Amino acid sequence: MTGPLSKMSNLQLRVLFGVLGGAAVVGSLSWGVYGCLALFLIISSFARFEFYGLLKKAGRDPDILLGTILGTGLHLLSFAIEEDWLKPTALFLFFPGIAIVFIARLFRRTPPDPFGNTGLTLLGIIYTDLPFCLLYFGTTSPGTYDSRIILGSLFLLWASDTGAYFMGSNFGRTPLFPSVSPKKSWEGAAGALLSALMVASVLARFWPVMPDIHWAVLSVIIVVIGSYGDLSESQFKRSLQIKDSGGGIPGHGGFLDRFDGLLPAAPFIVAYLKLVVFP
């Protein structure tokens, strides 16, 4: 990194690019359905390339091209179904693509373990694309768009990250999961929950799109599942002996580092919304 940015501390970079990134996310989601599609496609694509790139460094051989085609196709299908342009049965178009990934492996000169590499190709889609595809269904009912729940969930996630960072940095004493990430602490987790619940109370007041209790439940889901998602990504990077997944976001590492809490939390968020809040 060169220029004025090279003279900034990591905290300053974290705050600067956090504000810029947050503004881009809020602007995209507020723009409407196409902003939502573009945002989720961009984040998923960068996260998927980082995931496959880490595997490449470890000597594995995921099929990046087919993974990209399948991941993008899953986005477009999910979006079209949620917008009521296609029937839900259109998702069956995705499954022949999975079979093609296995067939295509026959024509590649690859390292040993072809099934393992095929599995890693599909895992990249499940890990980076599927959560955002599910979030399309967290807007509202088919054919409509309301960004408040998705934006609110992101605000809860950001509040959680901020609370964990500052509480853990200043008061962290008790390791949360020392075998995976010795820097993460129970004090940081408490700060994350407190911050998320405070933001949930504000969201419940100004965005009464659902009863207050549901905002509180979403904050607990995001803090608990997001924390373990962060630990899971740390375990993955540790197994590859890599500190950061990339440098795409200065001060934050890569896209996987920035969204490691949202990726595993998204299925829980959407399941709760669809099964409990809006059955």
Side-chain angles (χ1 to χ4, degrees), residues 242-261:
I242 294 173
K243 180 180 180 182
D244 293 321
S245 63
I249 310 177
H252 295 267
F255 281 79
L256 286 177
D257 294 317
R258 184 79 289 255
F259 294 97
D260 55 5

Side-chain angles (χ1 to χ4, degrees), residues 7-218:
K7 300 178 182 179
M8 301 176 68
S9 68
N10 186 69
L11 178 59
Q12 290 173 322
L13 285 171
R14 187 180 182 89
V15 172
L16 173 62
F17 281 90
V19 171
L20 293 176
V25 168
V26 172
S28 298
L29 291 175
S30 300
W31 181 36
V33 291
Y34 297 108
C36 179
L37 174 63
L39 177 71
F40 288 174
L41 268 174
I42 290 170
I43 295 175
S44 293
S45 296
F46 277 106
R48 189 188 328 105
F49 280 123
E50 286 180 359
F51 183 81
Y52 287 153
L54 293 176
L55 293 173
K56 286 282 190 181
K57 289 181 180 178
R60 307 310 296 265
D61 185 42
D63 193 323
I64 297 176
L65 177 60
L66 276 180
T68 299
I69 293 172
L70 272 181
T72 303
L74 185 59
H75 273 275
L76 297 177
L77 282 173
S78 301
F79 181 80
I81 291 169
E82 175 57 22
E83 286 303 298
D84 213 17
W85 297 345
L86 295 175
K87 295 181 179 180
T89 51
L91 271 178
F92 285 107
L93 293 171
F94 177 74
F95 298 110
I98 296 177
I100 290 174
V101 175
F102 284 89
I103 295 171
R105 182 61 55 175
L106 295 171
F107 300 93
R108 289 172 64 90
R109 292 184 177 180
T110 65
D113 193 16
F115 264 64
N117 287 316
T118 299
L120 291 172
T121 301
L122 298 176
L123 180 61
I125 300 168
I126 294 171
Y127 184 52
T128 64
D129 290 290
L130 182 60
F132 286 101
C133 291
L134 290 173
L135 286 177
Y136 292 126
F137 298 95
T139 53
T140 48
S141 58
T144 64
Y145 179 75
D146 189 333
S147 64
R148 288 178 293 179
I149 291 180
I150 294 178
L151 274 173
S153 297
L154 290 172
F155 290 154
L156 293 173
L157 177 68
W158 295 338
S160 168
D161 288 345
T162 303
Y165 181 81
F166 285 103
M167 185 68 79
S169 298
N170 293 288
F171 303 103
R173 298 291 184 273
T174 312
L176 178 62
F177 218 113
S179 63
V180 175
S181 183
K183 291 185 178 181
K184 290 181 172 57
S185 64
W186 281 104
E187 291 81 5
L193 182 58
L194 179 62
S195 299
L197 288 173
M198 290 173 61
V199 171
S201 66
V202 175
L203 293 172
R205 179 182 177 127
F206 292 99
W207 283 355
V209 68
M210 58 183 176
D212 298 6
I213 185 63
H214 295 310
W215 283 115
V217 172
L218 282 185

